[in-house]
Amino acid sequence: MGVPPVLLMRKRMIIKRLTECGAFSEENAVTFKEAGVFNPNAFSRLTKIMEKRNILTQTKGGKYYLNK
């Protein structure tokens, strides 16, 4: 069984929005809401997986940036 399409779309959207905001370091980190991610509190498990796989990093202030 593969990954549900909705999760793949969500992952792509998060990456796209953070890229558009230039969130590539802790200094440029943004909240999902600031980045324009629809329903920022949805799919929290996916967010945790992305953090575990070192795609995202969450700051102490609850902001996120991409690891490139």
Side-chain angles (χ1 to χ4, degrees):
M1 185 172 157
V3 178
V6 68
L7 293 180
L8 291 175
M9 292 186 327
R10 177 71 174 194
K11 179 182 172 184
R12 286 184 196 130
M13 179 184 50
I14 290 170
I15 292 170
K16 179 182 180 207
R17 298 294 169 106
L18 291 177
T19 299
E20 290 170 348
C21 289
F24 297 109
S25 67
E26 189 169 354
E27 294 80 28
N28 297 320
V30 293
T31 65
F32 283 165
K33 186 175 181 178
E34 291 170 335
V37 174
F38 176 73
N39 199 356
N41 297 318
F43 302 102
S44 60
R45 185 163 182 250
L46 173 64
T47 303
K48 297 287 183 210
I49 291 169
M50 291 176 73
E51 288 181 75
K52 186 176 178 180
R53 292 185 178 166
N54 206 29
I55 297 168
L56 285 179
T57 298
Q58 182 179 21
T59 67
K60 291 180 182 179
K63 296 183 177 190
Y64 292 91
Y65 63 93
L66 295 169
N67 296 308
K68 288 274 180 176

